Amino acid sequence: MKQAKISFKEDHIDFINKYSEFGFKDKSSLVRAAINEFKRKIERQKLAESAKLYAELYEVDDELKELTNSAISGWPE
């Protein structure tokens, strides 16, 4: 695993130093878990924004609505 030198504020250090209270084996695993969770959050936000944009496009595009309706024709409800 690669290492990186990063800086934290004092309250962040206090939190990281409590890694064992949160069930982590060391400080690095706590920070990695936090980064992974943040990455998942960002990905969910991007997906939600993409869905919103597609929904907005669908709302104003009658041709797309017709295409969608023809594609689902005959599918069980």
Side-chain angles (χ1 to χ4, degrees):
M1 215 176 291
K2 292 186 178 186
Q3 293 185 349
K5 182 178 179 178
I6 56 177
S7 300
F8 293 102
K9 293 181 178 180
E10 191 64 37
D11 61 326
H12 296 135
I13 295 294
D14 293 341
F15 181 82
I16 291 169
N17 284 333
K18 297 177 183 176
Y19 66 90
S20 62
E21 293 178 31
F22 305 117
F24 293 95
K25 68 177 184 171
D26 56 32
K27 296 172 189 177
S28 294
S29 57
L30 181 145
V31 173
R32 283 192 301 270
I35 291 170
N36 287 336
E37 182 60 31
F38 182 69
K39 283 173 53 179
R40 282 190 292 274
K41 179 181 177 181
I42 295 298
E43 290 167 1
R44 284 190 305 266
Q45 287 174 343
K46 286 180 182 179
L47 185 59
E49 181 62 27
S50 176
K52 179 181 172 188
L53 291 173
Y54 276 111
E56 289 172 1
L57 176 63
Y58 181 82
E59 192 63 35
V60 297
D61 190 332
D62 291 333
E63 188 176 325
L64 182 56
K65 288 179 184 177
E66 288 178 29
L67 178 64
T68 303
N69 288 333
S70 70
I72 63 173
S73 176
W75 279 54
E77 292 188 29

